[in-house]
Amino acid sequence: MAEPTRTEGTSPAEQRPAEQEPMPWLEELPPRKIVAELDRYIVGQEVAKKAVAIAVRNRWRRAQAPDEIRDEILPNNIIMIGPTGVGKTEIARRLARLAGAPFLKVEASKFTEVGYVGRDVESMIRELVDVAINMVRTEREDDVYPEAEARAEERLLDILLPPTPATTPAAAPAPGDKAEGGRPLFVVSSKGDVTAKPTEADTETQERRRRTREKLRQQLKEGKLEERDVEVDVQQQSFPALEMMQPPPGMEGPDVNFTEMLQDLLPKKKKRRTVHVHEARRILVDEELKKLVDIDDVVNEALDRVENHGVIFIDEIDKIAGERGNVGPDVSREGVQRDLLPIVEGSTVQTRYGFVRTDHILFVAAGAFHVSKPSDLIPELQGRFPIRVELSPLTEDDFVRIMTEPENALTKQYAALCAAEGATLEFTPDGVREVARIAAKVNEQLENIGARRLHTVMTTLLEDILFALPDYPTKQIVIDAATVRERLAKIASDEDLRRYIL
């Protein structure tokens, strides 16, 4: 079984937060709590949040159903319809942050970029499996991480204080030998093993080594040896010549990875490296985690999660919808829809880790549908997305809430950026209202790009301040309505400038 590769350049300790409480599984949360989690970052769109919360909770309800009907309960896939920038993709991003279920976001337009064929549609399932394997492996590594750290520390102490060479057979006493006074020089165990009896000098040496080892252990814990150089044997992870044989992303075969196959056949080479203690610890912990985590068990758990709890978010699905019967480039759109149909409908996909059934994977699609409409999708695909929710355009009041209520509001983000320079950035209520008014006005007069317009307005508003922030005369910056009008008046009044800048 080929082992999935870890993110290059990061250690297990670096990949996990220092102190992070385990989040509950998304499906274990009641629908109201799922909506409450989404409310922390997304303003409005209650209909879409409610539909997503019900669909996700139904996964848990299905798992509690009797065996005879469990396989008959199929997920209710969702299409979210609404203009760009109203929160469709943000709902998907926040769902992905809630732990437990494997989640993947793909763009339907990616499947039409290369000629008429584009990427292999089944690649989304293979990518979801990779996400699930990384998720399960990280969970298992978290469980055994203290043990891996302890093992790595012992190996590190062995490197810092190499063990003394064992007594050679020539120097070992013969079973019949006796010391002065007739005392035996060997000890016979209950199993019949004969070992040399340690002398008083040997006991003293061992005690001295033990004290030295404990002293080194204490220095390691206090961080006094972090910059000391040690030599470690590192197994060569990849072969550059084989990387060139990899097919392009999305065009790989269903179940054969020749690079991994050849790497398994080639002998494992170890390379001795001289590194600092902190780097050696990372390498040794990584090796111990691989020994402690059973990759076959990880794969089995990951495949089960994909089949019963997986969620795939298909963005920009309107880009593959068009009036049926057209000729020309549009044939690729209908072709992609027909390729998507068996995946959404329920089929068996072959991956490098085994077969995956897609019958119970939840699919959430989203699109602006400016030019096309959901009814332009082929009827079979429409039938596989029975729940349709429309997201409403954002108003000026919504912009005010977006800038103040969410935990990741733009005003809070820019305040954090200014705090890095020792400055304090504060937006007054009338200043927030003025920014929202200008953003809503520009959306009405130009293309409506939703909340993304706030980014362009805020960037233009704070550009000079951020540029001169290190040498800014005052470290207390207050943005009120007068400041907003002053800085944006010329652009907001000039239609040409507004078109190109905002």
Side-chain angles (χ1 to χ4, degrees):
M1 183 69 66
E3 183 173 345
T5 55
R6 186 188 305 283
T7 306
E8 293 294 331
T10 56
S11 67
E14 293 167 339
Q15 287 183 350
R16 56 177 57 79
E19 294 182 3
Q20 181 179 5
E21 295 182 1
M23 295 184 64
W25 268 48
L26 175 63
E27 297 170 5
E28 294 177 354
L29 294 175
R32 290 185 186 278
K33 287 194 175 181
I34 296 177
V35 172
E37 283 292 326
L38 296 176
D39 283 341
R40 293 170 57 194
Y41 301 96
I42 303 165
V43 169
Q45 313 303 357
E46 300 302 329
V47 176
K49 292 176 184 174
K50 186 176 179 181
V52 169
I54 293 172
V56 170
R57 179 65 173 183
N58 281 346
R59 319 296 298 285
W60 178 84
R61 292 167 176 155
R62 172 183 167 268
Q64 315 306 314
D67 293 341
E68 58 269 15
I69 199 172
R70 185 179 303 161
D71 285 342
E72 305 299 326
I73 302 176
L74 299 178
N76 290 326
N77 300 322
I78 302 171
I79 286 186
M80 293 191 290
I81 307 164
T84 183
V86 296
K88 302 186 300 296
T89 306
E90 188 66 17
I91 288 176
R93 288 182 59 232
R94 294 304 161 184
L95 283 176
R97 297 289 178 91
L98 295 171
F103 182 95
L104 178 71
K105 175 183 176 294
V106 296
E107 293 185 10
S109 56
K110 292 288 185 184
F111 301 115
T112 62
E113 283 185 351
V114 186
Y116 282 167
V117 180
R119 295 184 60 191
D120 178 13
V121 174
E122 290 184 351
S123 65
M124 69 171 71
I125 305 299
R126 291 193 280 273
E127 290 175 17
L128 185 64
V129 171
D130 289 338
V131 168
I133 285 178
N134 287 330
M135 175 187 294
V136 176
R137 185 182 59 189
T138 301
E139 292 175 4
R140 300 292 169 85
E141 287 179 351
D142 287 338
D143 293 338
V144 299
Y145 194 76
E147 183 180 353
E149 273 191 321
R151 289 190 180 190
E153 183 180 87
E154 296 299 328
R155 289 179 60 184
L156 200 53
L157 288 171
D158 289 338
I159 295 173
L160 291 168
L161 185 65
T164 56
T167 306
T168 59
D177 291 344
K178 290 187 178 181
E180 297 180 7
R183 290 176 300 172
L185 287 176
F186 63 91
V187 177
V188 181
S189 69
S190 59
K191 295 182 179 180
D193 297 330
V194 180
T195 56
K197 185 175 181 179
T199 63
E200 190 173 326
D202 292 337
T203 305
E204 185 180 344
T205 302
Q206 290 176 2
E207 179 63 22
R208 187 163 54 247
R209 280 183 53 81
R210 187 191 65 79
R211 289 196 302 266
T212 304
R213 188 180 179 92
E214 291 305 316
K215 183 178 180 181
L216 287 172
R217 189 192 305 275
Q218 187 63 29
Q219 289 178 337
L220 275 178
K221 291 181 178 179
E222 294 174 357
K224 295 180 179 179
L225 304 177
E226 294 298 294
E227 299 304 319
R228 183 167 171 177
D229 288 338
V230 293
E231 288 188 348
V232 292
D233 292 328
V234 182
Q235 185 171 308
Q236 190 172 346
Q237 295 295 329
S238 61
F239 300 87
L242 296 179
E243 298 298 328
M244 300 175 64
M245 300 173 58
Q246 280 287 79
M251 305 292 288
E252 60 272 78
D255 194 40
V256 180
N257 189 315
F258 290 104
T259 301
E260 291 183 354
M261 185 185 301
L262 290 174
Q263 286 184 2
D264 291 338
L265 294 176
L266 291 174
K268 300 291 187 297
K269 293 184 179 180
K270 287 202 170 185
K271 178 182 178 183
R272 181 159 289 240
R273 290 178 54 195
T274 301
V275 296
H276 293 312
V277 165
H278 62 83
E279 177 69 9
R281 183 187 292 108
R282 182 191 67 80
I283 294 171
L284 296 176
V285 168
D286 195 34
E287 290 181 359
E288 293 300 327
L289 284 173
K290 290 179 181 177
K291 295 177 185 177
L292 291 169
V293 175
D294 184 358
I295 190 63
D296 291 330
D297 186 40
V298 167
V299 168
N300 292 335
E301 171 72 15
L303 293 181
D304 179 71
R305 287 197 193 182
V306 167
E307 290 186 342
N308 296 298
H309 307 284
V311 180
I312 293 182
F313 183 85
I314 306 176
D315 207 359
E316 310 288 354
I317 197 171
D318 55 316
K319 301 298 188 295
I320 61 170
E323 295 184 10
R324 295 190 298 279
N326 282 4
V327 295
D330 285 343
V331 298
S332 65
R333 300 180 181 181
E334 188 166 325
V336 173
Q337 293 182 54
R338 297 196 179 281
D339 287 344
L340 275 174
L341 182 60
I343 304 293
V344 179
E345 190 176 29
S347 61
T348 301
V349 176
Q350 196 176 20
T351 73
R352 72 179 70 170
Y353 304 106
F355 290 94
V356 174
R357 291 177 55 202
T358 66
D359 301 66
H360 299 289
I361 295 178
L362 174 65
F363 291 88
V364 180
F369 289 99
H370 288 307
V371 179
S372 57
K373 50 189 182 294
S375 58
D376 290 332
L377 296 168
I378 60 176
E380 299 90 340
L381 192 59
Q382 291 183 50
R384 291 300 164 183
F385 288 91
I387 300 178
R388 301 179 186 180
V389 293
E390 185 172 358
L391 284 79
S392 56
L394 299 175
T395 64
E396 180 181 325
D397 291 336
D398 290 329
F399 285 161
V400 172
R401 294 180 59 197
I402 289 171
M403 293 181 65
T404 54
E405 293 181 9
E407 295 186 10
N408 62 336
L410 275 178
T411 53
K412 300 174 184 176
Q413 293 181 28
Y414 278 105
L417 293 176
C418 292
E421 300 272 6
T424 303
L425 178 65
E426 180 185 348
F427 284 83
T428 63
D430 63 332
V432 171
R433 173 65 65 175
E434 185 65 17
V435 171
R437 185 190 67 80
I438 292 176
K441 178 183 176 183
V442 175
N443 270 348
E444 289 176 4
Q445 297 178 348
L446 304 178
E447 189 72 24
N448 187 353
I449 60 173
R452 294 187 177 96
R453 186 70 69 185
L454 289 173
H455 287 270
T456 59
V457 173
M458 291 283 283
T459 301
T460 307
L461 172 66
L462 299 173
E463 183 178 24
D464 293 338
I465 294 175
L466 293 175
F467 180 79
L469 193 57
D471 306 313
Y472 211 68
T474 175
K475 293 298 184 180
Q476 183 76 24
I477 306 168
V478 178
I479 305 294
D480 54 15
T483 305
V484 174
R485 283 192 292 268
E486 177 187 347
R487 292 183 175 275
L488 297 180
K490 182 179 179 182
I491 298 174
S493 60
D494 190 321
E495 185 175 344
D496 290 332
L497 277 177
R498 184 171 67 244
R499 181 180 301 275
Y500 290 108
I501 296 179
L502 299 181

